[in-house]
Amino acid sequence: PLVNKNKLALSGKKVIVTAGGTIERIDPVRYITNDSSGKMGFAIAKVAQEMGAEVQLIAANTSAEPPSGISLERVQSAEDMYQAVLKQWETSDLVVMAAAVADYRPREVAQTKIKKKDSVLTLELVKNVDILETLGRSKKHQFLIGFAAETGNLETYAIDKLERKNCDLLAANDVTVEGAGFGVDTNAVQIYDRSGMVEQIPVQSKEEVARKLLTLAAERMGGVLH
Ligand code: CTP
Ligand code: CA
């Protein structure tokens, strides 16, 4: 076919990458978050750009340095992240949800600092929007990649999430495996599609994992050159 041999695997593609853990406010000085460092998402954004994509990075709370030269929008809550993703959704070709989006948020955000009173304080939490699931329901031309950090039963949970969220690929990792947990520069993932596991990536740098994941995606999106 008519292909330009100099074209990179993601040339001409617009890629949205979410990273980090969302922050769900309790009051002006307190919040709920999680252990996501943002490193996996940042590695994906960097590699996607190297592969020729136009990348929009949407990052919640992270301890890592974002890759330079990539358009970055900072967000706090799951709702903020959802709005930021929606703005780019129609025009994007690939969305990688590497962020650890909080499943719940406090029902009410106190406008002033909550004062210490009784021996027990009950916080009521309500479910957040599932960004990936919502995208999965409205996707047209877009290719969707989800992540799943699990503590066992990888295959069962991965396939269930992939189907429930209508993803094209899902990268699952067992956070109890050494080198595949939070905060480190390495990861080990199993990549699934609807038919089951398609690739097993042993412990290696997050950038190498990102390159393998994005190469699989590019092949399936069409236009990849060999
Ligand atoms: N995700 C999302 N919006 C949420 C929760 C999760 O978009 N409110 C995305 C994550 O970014 C990830 C995928 O869904 O790509 C799987 O997240 P995970 O937390 O593993 O799945 P859940 O469906 O929340 O299930 P659980 O936490 O109970 O395992
Ligand atoms: Ca979750």
Side-chain angles (χ1 to χ4, degrees), residues 100-103 130 161 165:
V101 185
D103 293 331
D130 191 310
K161 279 175 194 173
K165 304 186 190 219

Side-chain angles (χ1 to χ4, degrees), residues 1-217:
L2 293 168
V3 289
N4 173 357
K5 290 282 177 200
N6 297 319
K7 242 180 100 193
L8 295 165
L10 289 172
S11 285
K13 304 291 185 193
K14 179 173 163 182
V15 178
I16 303 176
V17 181
T18 66
T22 66
I23 281 181
E24 310 298 331
R25 282 260 149 230
I26 297 169
D27 73 10
V29 297
R30 303 179 179 101
Y31 56 79
I32 298 170
T33 190
N34 58 64
D35 282 326
S36 172
S37 65
K39 286 178 177 174
M40 192 62 235
F42 286 174
I44 291 167
K46 182 174 178 222
V47 172
Q49 191 178 55
E50 286 167 8
M51 289 171 71
E54 175 201 334
V55 180
Q56 174 66 46
L57 185 54
I58 298 170
N61 190 40
T62 62
S63 51
E65 186 67 27
S68 58
I70 291 178
S71 172
L72 168 69
E73 181 171 357
R74 292 275 186 186
V75 295
Q76 281 218 329
S77 65
E79 183 59 31
D80 295 344
M81 180 170 278
Y82 178 52
Q83 295 305 330
V85 170
L86 276 191
K87 277 190 293 174
Q88 316 276 345
W89 171 237
E90 296 280 329
T91 55
S92 66
D93 300 296
L94 166 63
V95 178
V96 188
M97 284 295 305
V101 185
D103 293 331
Y104 295 92
R105 66 174 183 280
R107 182 185 288 282
E108 276 161 30
V109 181
Q111 293 310 303
T112 54
K113 186 184 168 192
I114 297 170
K115 299 306 286 180
K116 178 167 59 183
K117 278 195 307 228
D118 306 331
S119 58
V120 174
L121 171 70
T122 304
L123 266 184
E124 202 176 3
L125 305 177
V126 294
K127 218 181 217 168
N128 275 329
V129 60
D130 191 310
I131 302 171
L132 185 56
E133 194 174 324
T134 310
L135 298 179
R137 265 189 256 114
S138 73
K139 85 172 175 193
K140 296 184 192 84
H141 61 283
Q142 294 93 341
F143 194 94
L144 265 188
I145 302 181
F147 269 80
E150 308 288 356
T151 53
N153 272 322
L154 228 54
E155 172 127 30
T156 315
Y157 289 131
I159 304 231
D160 169 66
K161 279 175 194 173
L162 180 100
E163 287 177 353
R164 188 154 43 85
K165 304 186 190 219
N166 199 20
C167 296
D168 297 289
L169 287 174
L170 188 125
N173 67 309
D174 186 332
V175 294
T176 64
V177 168
E178 183 148 346
F182 291 110
V184 295
D185 292 321
T186 55
N187 201 358
V189 301
Q190 294 183 354
I191 302 176
Y192 292 86
D193 75 3
R194 232 150 269 273
S195 66
M197 193 170 76
V198 292
E199 198 162 327
Q200 164 123 20
I201 303 177
V203 177
Q204 52 203 274
S205 76
K206 286 184 172 172
E207 282 189 28
E208 288 171 307
V209 172
R211 187 165 293 277
K212 287 179 180 158
L213 178 62
L214 290 171
T215 299
L216 265 183

